[in-house]
Amino acid sequence: MTPLGAKLRALREARGISLKEMAAALNVSSAYLSALEHGKRGQPTSFLLHRMIAYFNVIWDEAEELQRLAEISDPKVTIDTGGLVPEATELANRLRDNIERLEPEDLRFLRDELVKRAARKR
């Protein structure tokens, strides 16, 4: 499941909306919406994302959060480390080879550490 998929599901369930109802209202198939929630489909188009925001009638902050989540919800990531230091290539490959063995708390730690260290360099 992607961050966007988890948020969409939470919004839908909190409002008691079925997958089929939401899909019909957005004029997409329930199979597509299910795949989006489960991370089997990539990011929705900006047009569809704006329709989802309107559908849920969320406030500005929540709309911005949905847009941010969409940006970090591509389930098929490619990392080009060409031209970077060898450690970058090693890190990308180790993550590729081991991500499924990491616990959620390990993933949160690594994510938070990456965000913190990357922010120092800006």
Side-chain angles (χ1 to χ4, degrees):
M1 186 171 282
T2 64
L4 178 64
K7 181 67 175 181
L8 290 174
R9 176 178 278 181
L11 286 169
R12 189 173 54 73
E13 290 178 347
R15 289 165 169 78
I17 301 167
S18 74
L19 191 70
K20 190 174 182 178
E21 290 170 323
M22 183 174 167
L26 295 174
N27 201 29
V28 296
S29 72
S30 54
Y32 170 79
L33 200 52
S34 176
L36 187 63
E37 282 189 3
H38 287 91
K40 306 237 188 273
R41 295 288 286 192
Q43 300 162 307
T45 64
S46 60
F47 178 71
L48 179 56
L49 183 60
H50 285 103
R51 286 177 40 212
M52 290 175 182
I53 290 168
Y55 177 74
F56 286 120
N57 195 29
V58 293
I59 60 171
W60 183 255
D61 289 346
E62 218 168 6
E64 284 183 344
E65 180 188 11
L66 285 171
Q67 289 175 326
R68 184 187 62 77
L69 292 175
E71 292 171 5
I72 60 169
S73 289
D74 185 353
K76 295 181 171 116
V77 179
T78 302
I79 302 174
D80 180 2
T81 60
L84 299 178
V85 297
E87 292 83 0
T89 301
E90 180 184 2
L91 175 62
N93 282 281
R94 287 186 182 274
L95 188 57
R96 177 202 62 214
D97 295 340
N98 294 289
I99 196 163
E100 73 278 351
R101 290 192 284 262
L102 296 172
E103 297 293 327
E105 59 269 14
D106 298 324
L107 294 169
R108 284 189 293 274
F109 171 80
L110 291 170
R111 177 203 60 206
D112 294 347
E113 191 65 24
L114 177 62
V115 168
K116 180 174 72 175
R117 288 173 181 253
R120 287 192 324 213
K121 301 296 181 186
R122 291 186 182 161

